[in-house]
Amino acid sequence: MPQMRLDELLEELQARINAARGTRDRVHSLLEAVVSVGRGLDLSQVLRRIVEAAALLVDAQYGALGVIGPDGRTLSQFLTVGLTDEEAARSGPLPAGHGILGELIRRPEPLRLAELGAHPASYGFPAHHPPMRTFLGVPIRVRDEVFGNLYLTDKHGGQEFDAEDESVIATLSVAAGVAIDNARLYEASQRQQRWLRASAEITNSLLSGSPRLEVLGLIARRAQEITGAALAEVAVPVPGTDGLVVELSLGADGDTRRGLAVPIEGTLAGTAYEAGAPVATAGPAHDGPRGAEGDRSATPGPAVAVPLGTAAKDTRGVLLLAREETGAVFTEADLEALQAYAGQAALALELAERRSDAEQLALLEDRDRIARDLHDLAIQRLFATGMTLQSAARLVQHQGAAERLSRAVGDLDETIKIIRSTIFGLRAREEDAGVSLRARVARTVGETATVLGFPPRLSMEGLLDTDVPAQLADHVMAALTELLSNAARHAHATRVEVLVQARSEDVVLTVADNGRGIPGGGRRSGLRNLEERARSVGGTLLVERPDGGGSRLMFRAPLAAGHTG
C-alpha cells in the first residue's frame, strides 16, 4: 500500500511538473510571438506575423485575419495561413464577412465552437473548400476601435480549443492591437512625409520656370503614386463654357481620355469643382455623383475628385484619382491629405501665375519703351534721312542716279509705315484684346471643345489685330464658326486643327480634321454659303481631301476687301 501511494504521488508530481513545463513553454512561446509581432512597422508584414503566430500558439491547422472595412459590416482584407495556393484558388473569392465571420463582426467577443457547422449563423463552405470543424475567433482592438478578427480552425489531433487557448489568443490580440496601431501611425507619418516632399517638388518645379502642363503632370503623378491609384487626371474649366475638359490623364487609356469634355452636372469632377470640396465614391456599384459619359473612369473602382483651389470661386481645376475595382475606398484621412496637397499645388500654381503676370507687365513696359524709342528716334531719323535724299535728288543731273534716290526715298517711306504698324502692335493694350481678332478666335475655339469632346489645336500667325480690318475679321469669324460646327456635327473626328494667318496681301483660315471626310454628294448648303461669303469679299474657299483621310478647308480673303467692302 505505501508503495502504491508513493507511485501515485510520483505520477501526480510528474503530471504537475509537465503541466508547469508546458505552461512555461507556452508562456515563452507567447512572449516570442508578442516580440515577433511588435518587431515590424510595415502593416502588411505585421498582419501576416499576427495570424501566423496565432495559429502556431494554439496548434491550429488553419488561421485567418479579417480586417473590417470602413462600412463596419464587411471585411476589406482577409489573410490566411494553412491553405495552399491551389486550395485558396479552388475555394473561390475571399470571404466578405458573412456567416460565422460576420457573427464576430456583429458581436466582437471571443467565440469558441466544438462544431462549426452547428452554429445558427453558419453558412457552410464553398464546394471545394477544405472541411473545418472546431473554431476559435477573437477580435483585435486598436484603442477603442475593432480593427478586425482572428479566426482559427481545426486544432491538430482533433482536439477542441479550450479556455487556455482562448486566453492565449486574447493576450496575443492585445499585443497585436498595439503593433497594428504603431504600424498605422508609422505608415501615416511616412505618407505625410511623401505628401510634403511632393508639395515641395511641385513648388520648386513651378518657381524654376517649368511649363504649366509639365507641372500638372507632376501633380497628378505624385498623387497617383502616393494613393496607389490606377488613374490620375486633371480637368480644367473651359473659358466661356460651363464645362471642364481633361487636360492631362495618366493611366491605361490616358491618351484616349485626354481632351474629353466633362459636364458639371452628374459627374464626380464636376461636383467637386462646383462645391470646391473633395468628393469620393466607392465605385459605380454604389450611389454617388458618377457615371456620366465625360467622367467615366478607366477603372471601375473607388474614386475621389479634389478641387485645385482653396475656395470654390478660385478653383483652377480638379484632380481625379481612381483605384482598381478591388482597391480600398478613399478614407477621410486620404481626403484630408489630398485636400491639403491640392491646396498647396493650387497655391503654387497661383504664385506661378502671379510671377507670369509680373513678367508680362515687365514685358509690356519694355515694349512701350521700344515703341517710344522707335517713334522718337528711329522714325525721326529715317524721316530726316528721307528729306535729305529728296533735297539731294534735285541737285543730281544724272537720270539714273535721280531714279535711284527716288526709289530709296520710297523705300524709306515704306519702312516708316512698317515701323509705325509695329509700334501700334506693341502699344496694343490688354483692354483691346477682348474684341481683337486673336481673342475672338481663341474664345470661339475654346468654346467648341465642349461640343467636340476635345480641345482643337490652334495656331495664329501674323499681325491679325492690326492688318485685318474689322469688317473682314467678321467674315473670318463667321467662316470659323461654320467650319467648327461642321466638324462637330459631321466629321466624327478625334483631332481638329485651326490655323489663322495674316499675310502680306490676304488673311487665310484653315480648319483640318482627321474625321471621315467630306462626301462627294449630299447636302452642302454650309459649304455653298461659305463659298458665297468668300466670293463676296473677293476671296476663295478651297476644299481638300488629304490622302490620310479627313478634310482640310481653307477660307482666303484679300486684306483690301476689308477697306472696300
Side-chain angles (χ1 to χ4, degrees), residues 145-165:
E145 168 198 358
V146 178
F147 174 83
N149 296 302
L150 274 170
Y151 307 107
L152 303 157
T153 61
D154 287 8
K155 190 168 184 176
H156 286 100
Q159 301 178 37
E160 297 179 12
F161 295 105
D162 55 25
E164 188 177 346
D165 293 328

Side-chain angles (χ1 to χ4, degrees), residues 100 113-122:
I100 294 295
L113 299 174
E115 188 58 53
L116 219 165
H119 194 278
S122 177

Side-chain angles (χ1 to χ4, degrees), residues 230-271:
L231 173 75
E233 60 189 31
V234 177
V236 297
V238 180
T241 71
D242 294 330
L244 305 172
V245 65
V246 178
E247 185 172 3
L248 180 138
S249 183
L250 305 175
D253 17 342
D255 292 338
T256 59
R257 288 185 57 80
R258 195 175 299 117
L260 190 66
V262 180
I264 296 293
E265 295 294 331
T267 63
L268 196 68
T271 303

Side-chain angles (χ1 to χ4, degrees), residues 528 530-541 555-556:
R528 281 199 300 271
L530 283 179
E531 289 173 353
E532 292 174 4
R533 182 183 291 276
R535 282 197 298 269
S536 70
V537 292
T540 58
L541 177 69
F555 179 91
R556 188 198 68 81

Side-chain angles (χ1 to χ4, degrees), residues 437 441 458-461 464 476 498-502 507-509:
L437 180 56
V441 169
L458 174 62
S459 301
M460 291 184 277
E461 299 176 1
L464 294 172
V476 172
V498 177
L499 172 63
V500 187
Q501 299 169 289
V507 59
V508 180
L509 166 66

